[in-house]
PDB file of all heavy atoms in Angstrom:
ATOM      1  N   VAL A  26    -105.256 -86.040  75.835  1.00  0.00           N
ATOM      2  CA  VAL A  26    -105.591 -86.946  74.733  1.00  0.00           C
ATOM      3  C   VAL A  26    -107.100 -86.915  74.482  1.00  0.00           C
ATOM      4  O   VAL A  26    -107.553 -86.826  73.338  1.00  0.00           O
ATOM      5  CB  VAL A  26    -105.136 -88.391  75.061  1.00  0.00           C
ATOM      6  CG1 VAL A  26    -105.603 -89.363  73.982  1.00  0.00           C
ATOM      7  CG2 VAL A  26    -103.618 -88.457  75.190  1.00  0.00           C
ATOM      8  N   SER A  27    -107.902 -86.960  75.552  1.00  0.00           N
ATOM      9  CA  SER A  27    -109.358 -87.006  75.377  1.00  0.00           C
ATOM     10  C   SER A  27    -109.871 -85.719  74.726  1.00  0.00           C
ATOM     11  O   SER A  27    -110.750 -85.752  73.871  1.00  0.00           O
ATOM     12  CB  SER A  27    -110.061 -87.266  76.714  1.00  0.00           C
ATOM     13  OG  SER A  27    -109.807 -86.200  77.590  1.00  0.00           O
ATOM     14  N   HIS A  28    -109.280 -84.583  75.088  1.00  0.00           N
ATOM     15  CA  HIS A  28    -109.703 -83.313  74.479  1.00  0.00           C
ATOM     16  C   HIS A  28    -109.379 -83.300  72.976  1.00  0.00           C
ATOM     17  O   HIS A  28    -110.236 -82.957  72.156  1.00  0.00           O
ATOM     18  CB  HIS A  28    -109.016 -82.142  75.194  1.00  0.00           C
ATOM     19  CG  HIS A  28    -109.349 -80.812  74.606  1.00  0.00           C
ATOM     20  ND1 HIS A  28    -110.499 -80.116  74.933  1.00  0.00           N
ATOM     21  CD2 HIS A  28    -108.715 -80.044  73.684  1.00  0.00           C
ATOM     22  CE1 HIS A  28    -110.544 -78.994  74.247  1.00  0.00           C
ATOM     23  NE2 HIS A  28    -109.471 -78.927  73.477  1.00  0.00           N
ATOM     24  N   VAL A  29    -108.162 -83.707  72.647  1.00  0.00           N
ATOM     25  CA  VAL A  29    -107.750 -83.699  71.233  1.00  0.00           C
ATOM     26  C   VAL A  29    -108.618 -84.654  70.415  1.00  0.00           C
ATOM     27  O   VAL A  29    -109.045 -84.342  69.306  1.00  0.00           O
ATOM     28  CB  VAL A  29    -106.244 -84.054  71.092  1.00  0.00           C
ATOM     29  CG1 VAL A  29    -105.854 -84.245  69.632  1.00  0.00           C
ATOM     30  CG2 VAL A  29    -105.383 -82.975  71.723  1.00  0.00           C
ATOM     31  N   ARG A  30    -108.922 -85.812  71.009  1.00  0.00           N
ATOM     32  CA  ARG A  30    -109.772 -86.772  70.295  1.00  0.00           C
ATOM     33  C   ARG A  30    -111.174 -86.203  70.073  1.00  0.00           C
ATOM     34  O   ARG A  30    -111.794 -86.432  69.046  1.00  0.00           O
ATOM     35  CB  ARG A  30    -109.872 -88.095  71.074  1.00  0.00           C
ATOM     36  CG  ARG A  30    -108.568 -88.854  71.090  1.00  0.00           C
ATOM     37  CD  ARG A  30    -108.754 -90.363  71.158  1.00  0.00           C
ATOM     38  NE  ARG A  30    -107.492 -91.011  71.401  1.00  0.00           N
ATOM     39  CZ  ARG A  30    -106.503 -91.139  70.506  1.00  0.00           C
ATOM     40  NH1 ARG A  30    -106.656 -90.652  69.302  1.00  0.00           N
ATOM     41  NH2 ARG A  30    -105.376 -91.727  70.827  1.00  0.00           N
ATOM     42  N   MET A  31    -111.693 -85.463  71.059  1.00  0.00           N
ATOM     43  CA  MET A  31    -113.018 -84.875  70.917  1.00  0.00           C
ATOM     44  C   MET A  31    -113.009 -83.820  69.813  1.00  0.00           C
ATOM     45  O   MET A  31    -113.897 -83.794  68.961  1.00  0.00           O
ATOM     46  CB  MET A  31    -113.475 -84.251  72.235  1.00  0.00           C
ATOM     47  CG  MET A  31    -114.887 -83.713  72.154  1.00  0.00           C
ATOM     48  SD  MET A  31    -115.432 -83.016  73.720  1.00  0.00           S
ATOM     49  CE  MET A  31    -114.267 -81.689  73.923  1.00  0.00           C
ATOM     50  N   VAL A  32    -111.984 -82.966  69.806  1.00  0.00           N
ATOM     51  CA  VAL A  32    -111.872 -81.933  68.775  1.00  0.00           C
ATOM     52  C   VAL A  32    -111.827 -82.595  67.388  1.00  0.00           C
ATOM     53  O   VAL A  32    -112.554 -82.210  66.475  1.00  0.00           O
ATOM     54  CB  VAL A  32    -110.599 -81.065  69.000  1.00  0.00           C
ATOM     55  CG1 VAL A  32    -110.341 -80.154  67.812  1.00  0.00           C
ATOM     56  CG2 VAL A  32    -110.718 -80.247  70.282  1.00  0.00           C
ATOM     57  N   ALA A  33    -110.974 -83.618  67.253  1.00  0.00           N
ATOM     58  CA  ALA A  33    -110.820 -84.313  65.965  1.00  0.00           C
ATOM     59  C   ALA A  33    -112.138 -84.942  65.537  1.00  0.00           C
ATOM     60  O   ALA A  33    -112.519 -84.877  64.363  1.00  0.00           O
ATOM     61  CB  ALA A  33    -109.741 -85.375  66.083  1.00  0.00           C
ATOM     62  N   SER A  34    -112.850 -85.514  66.499  1.00  0.00           N
ATOM     63  CA  SER A  34    -114.099 -86.190  66.158  1.00  0.00           C
ATOM     64  C   SER A  34    -115.163 -85.180  65.718  1.00  0.00           C
ATOM     65  O   SER A  34    -115.952 -85.451  64.802  1.00  0.00           O
ATOM     66  CB  SER A  34    -114.541 -87.045  67.351  1.00  0.00           C
ATOM     67  OG  SER A  34    -115.902 -86.963  67.556  1.00  0.00           O
ATOM     68  N   LEU A  35    -115.168 -83.978  66.326  1.00  0.00           N
ATOM     69  CA  LEU A  35    -116.118 -82.933  65.907  1.00  0.00           C
ATOM     70  C   LEU A  35    -115.795 -82.429  64.496  1.00  0.00           C
ATOM     71  O   LEU A  35    -116.698 -82.181  63.696  1.00  0.00           O
ATOM     72  CB  LEU A  35    -116.103 -81.772  66.905  1.00  0.00           C
ATOM     73  CG  LEU A  35    -116.771 -82.053  68.255  1.00  0.00           C
ATOM     74  CD1 LEU A  35    -116.479 -80.934  69.257  1.00  0.00           C
ATOM     75  CD2 LEU A  35    -118.277 -82.224  68.092  1.00  0.00           C
ATOM     76  N   VAL A  36    -114.496 -82.291  64.194  1.00  0.00           N
ATOM     77  CA  VAL A  36    -114.096 -81.848  62.850  1.00  0.00           C
ATOM     78  C   VAL A  36    -114.476 -82.925  61.821  1.00  0.00           C
ATOM     79  O   VAL A  36    -115.030 -82.623  60.753  1.00  0.00           O
ATOM     80  CB  VAL A  36    -112.579 -81.549  62.782  1.00  0.00           C
ATOM     81  CG1 VAL A  36    -112.115 -81.331  61.351  1.00  0.00           C
ATOM     82  CG2 VAL A  36    -112.237 -80.318  63.626  1.00  0.00           C
ATOM     83  N   ASP A  37    -114.208 -84.180  62.154  1.00  0.00           N
ATOM     84  CA  ASP A  37    -114.544 -85.304  61.276  1.00  0.00           C
ATOM     85  C   ASP A  37    -116.042 -85.317  60.977  1.00  0.00           C
ATOM     86  O   ASP A  37    -116.462 -85.468  59.816  1.00  0.00           O
ATOM     87  CB  ASP A  37    -114.120 -86.605  61.974  1.00  0.00           C
ATOM     88  CG  ASP A  37    -114.229 -87.806  61.063  1.00  0.00           C
ATOM     89  OD1 ASP A  37    -113.744 -87.716  59.917  1.00  0.00           O
ATOM     90  OD2 ASP A  37    -114.804 -88.821  61.477  1.00  0.00           O
ATOM     91  N   GLN A  38    -116.834 -85.114  62.036  1.00  0.00           N
ATOM     92  CA  GLN A  38    -118.294 -85.100  61.920  1.00  0.00           C
ATOM     93  C   GLN A  38    -118.762 -83.973  60.998  1.00  0.00           C
ATOM     94  O   GLN A  38    -119.585 -84.175  60.111  1.00  0.00           O
ATOM     95  CB  GLN A  38    -118.834 -84.840  63.324  1.00  0.00           C
ATOM     96  CG  GLN A  38    -120.196 -85.371  63.631  1.00  0.00           C
ATOM     97  CD  GLN A  38    -120.481 -85.122  65.125  1.00  0.00           C
ATOM     98  OE1 GLN A  38    -119.723 -85.549  66.005  1.00  0.00           O
ATOM     99  NE2 GLN A  38    -121.537 -84.395  65.407  1.00  0.00           N
ATOM    100  N   LYS A  39    -118.187 -82.776  61.181  1.00  0.00           N
ATOM    101  CA  LYS A  39    -118.560 -81.621  60.368  1.00  0.00           C
ATOM    102  C   LYS A  39    -118.162 -81.855  58.904  1.00  0.00           C
ATOM    103  O   LYS A  39    -118.911 -81.530  57.991  1.00  0.00           O
ATOM    104  CB  LYS A  39    -117.865 -80.376  60.919  1.00  0.00           C
ATOM    105  CG  LYS A  39    -118.697 -79.110  60.774  1.00  0.00           C
ATOM    106  CD  LYS A  39    -117.945 -77.915  61.335  1.00  0.00           C
ATOM    107  CE  LYS A  39    -118.561 -77.307  62.572  1.00  0.00           C
ATOM    108  NZ  LYS A  39    -119.786 -76.541  62.338  1.00  0.00           N
ATOM    109  N   MET A  40    -116.972 -82.457  58.674  1.00  0.00           N
ATOM    110  CA  MET A  40    -116.537 -82.741  57.298  1.00  0.00           C
ATOM    111  C   MET A  40    -117.513 -83.706  56.641  1.00  0.00           C
ATOM    112  O   MET A  40    -117.878 -83.535  55.478  1.00  0.00           O
ATOM    113  CB  MET A  40    -115.129 -83.352  57.287  1.00  0.00           C
ATOM    114  CG  MET A  40    -114.028 -82.320  57.309  1.00  0.00           C
ATOM    115  SD  MET A  40    -112.377 -83.051  57.148  1.00  0.00           S
ATOM    116  CE  MET A  40    -112.208 -83.168  55.355  1.00  0.00           C
ATOM    117  N   ASN A  41    -117.927 -84.713  57.401  1.00  0.00           N
ATOM    118  CA  ASN A  41    -118.869 -85.692  56.845  1.00  0.00           C
ATOM    119  C   ASN A  41    -120.215 -85.055  56.518  1.00  0.00           C
ATOM    120  O   ASN A  41    -120.807 -85.362  55.480  1.00  0.00           O
ATOM    121  CB  ASN A  41    -119.050 -86.863  57.820  1.00  0.00           C
ATOM    122  CG  ASN A  41    -117.808 -87.733  57.885  1.00  0.00           C
ATOM    123  OD1 ASN A  41    -116.998 -87.741  56.947  1.00  0.00           O
ATOM    124  ND2 ASN A  41    -117.624 -88.453  58.975  1.00  0.00           N
ATOM    125  N   GLU A  42    -120.671 -84.161  57.388  1.00  0.00           N
ATOM    126  CA  GLU A  42    -121.948 -83.463  57.140  1.00  0.00           C
ATOM    127  C   GLU A  42    -121.875 -82.646  55.852  1.00  0.00           C
ATOM    128  O   GLU A  42    -122.768 -82.691  55.021  1.00  0.00           O
ATOM    129  CB  GLU A  42    -122.245 -82.498  58.299  1.00  0.00           C
ATOM    130  CG  GLU A  42    -122.926 -83.154  59.494  1.00  0.00           C
ATOM    131  CD  GLU A  42    -122.923 -82.231  60.716  1.00  0.00           C
ATOM    132  OE1 GLU A  42    -122.882 -80.987  60.528  1.00  0.00           O
ATOM    133  OE2 GLU A  42    -122.932 -82.749  61.853  1.00  0.00           O
ATOM    134  N   ILE A  43    -120.776 -81.869  55.708  1.00  0.00           N
ATOM    135  CA  ILE A  43    -120.618 -81.015  54.513  1.00  0.00           C
ATOM    136  C   ILE A  43    -120.447 -81.895  53.272  1.00  0.00           C
ATOM    137  O   ILE A  43    -120.983 -81.595  52.198  1.00  0.00           O
ATOM    138  CB  ILE A  43    -119.433 -80.026  54.690  1.00  0.00           C
ATOM    139  CG1 ILE A  43    -119.733 -79.082  55.868  1.00  0.00           C
ATOM    140  CG2 ILE A  43    -119.195 -79.218  53.424  1.00  0.00           C
ATOM    141  CD1 ILE A  43    -118.610 -78.120  56.225  1.00  0.00           C
ATOM    142  N   HIS A  44    -119.755 -83.006  53.437  1.00  0.00           N
ATOM    143  CA  HIS A  44    -119.570 -83.942  52.317  1.00  0.00           C
ATOM    144  C   HIS A  44    -120.917 -84.513  51.849  1.00  0.00           C
ATOM    145  O   HIS A  44    -121.159 -84.664  50.641  1.00  0.00           O
ATOM    146  CB  HIS A  44    -118.638 -85.080  52.747  1.00  0.00           C
ATOM    147  CG  HIS A  44    -118.413 -86.112  51.694  1.00  0.00           C
ATOM    148  ND1 HIS A  44    -117.753 -85.830  50.515  1.00  0.00           N
ATOM    149  CD2 HIS A  44    -118.766 -87.417  51.622  1.00  0.00           C
ATOM    150  CE1 HIS A  44    -117.717 -86.920  49.772  1.00  0.00           C
ATOM    151  NE2 HIS A  44    -118.320 -87.896  50.422  1.00  0.00           N
ATOM    152  N   GLU A  45    -121.800 -84.824  52.799  1.00  0.00           N
ATOM    153  CA  GLU A  45    -123.133 -85.357  52.468  1.00  0.00           C
ATOM    154  C   GLU A  45    -123.925 -84.375  51.606  1.00  0.00           C
ATOM    155  O   GLU A  45    -124.682 -84.762  50.726  1.00  0.00           O
ATOM    156  CB  GLU A  45    -123.918 -85.655  53.756  1.00  0.00           C
ATOM    157  CG  GLU A  45    -123.557 -86.966  54.422  1.00  0.00           C
ATOM    158  CD  GLU A  45    -123.647 -88.168  53.484  1.00  0.00           C
ATOM    159  OE1 GLU A  45    -124.714 -88.344  52.868  1.00  0.00           O
ATOM    160  OE2 GLU A  45    -122.653 -88.895  53.346  1.00  0.00           O
ATOM    161  N   GLN A  46    -123.733 -83.067  51.909  1.00  0.00           N
ATOM    162  CA  GLN A  46    -124.480 -82.026  51.188  1.00  0.00           C
ATOM    163  C   GLN A  46    -123.803 -81.618  49.877  1.00  0.00           C
ATOM    164  O   GLN A  46    -124.419 -80.960  49.041  1.00  0.00           O
ATOM    165  CB  GLN A  46    -124.623 -80.774  52.076  1.00  0.00           C
ATOM    166  CG  GLN A  46    -125.584 -80.981  53.243  1.00  0.00           C
ATOM    167  CD  GLN A  46    -125.306 -80.012  54.391  1.00  0.00           C
ATOM    168  OE1 GLN A  46    -124.599 -79.018  54.212  1.00  0.00           O
ATOM    169  NE2 GLN A  46    -125.836 -80.292  55.560  1.00  0.00           N
ATOM    170  N   ASN A  47    -122.518 -81.956  49.723  1.00  0.00           N
ATOM    171  CA  ASN A  47    -121.748 -81.544  48.532  1.00  0.00           C
ATOM    172  C   ASN A  47    -120.823 -82.681  48.113  1.00  0.00           C
ATOM    173  O   ASN A  47    -119.613 -82.615  48.312  1.00  0.00           O
ATOM    174  CB  ASN A  47    -120.870 -80.316  48.835  1.00  0.00           C
ATOM    175  CG  ASN A  47    -121.630 -79.178  49.490  1.00  0.00           C
ATOM    176  OD1 ASN A  47    -122.169 -78.342  48.817  1.00  0.00           O
ATOM    177  ND2 ASN A  47    -121.670 -79.188  50.811  1.00  0.00           N
TER     178      ASN A  47
END
Side-chain angles (χ1 to χ4, degrees):
Chain A
V26 174
S27 63
H28 178 83
V29 172
R30 291 210 190 287
M31 184 179 62
V32 170
S34 139
L35 287 170
V36 170
D37 189 48
Q38 207 174 304
K39 214 180 247 287
M40 275 185 86
N41 289 337
E42 276 168 27
I43 297 176
H44 178 66
E45 280 307 307
Q46 289 157 15
N47 309 271

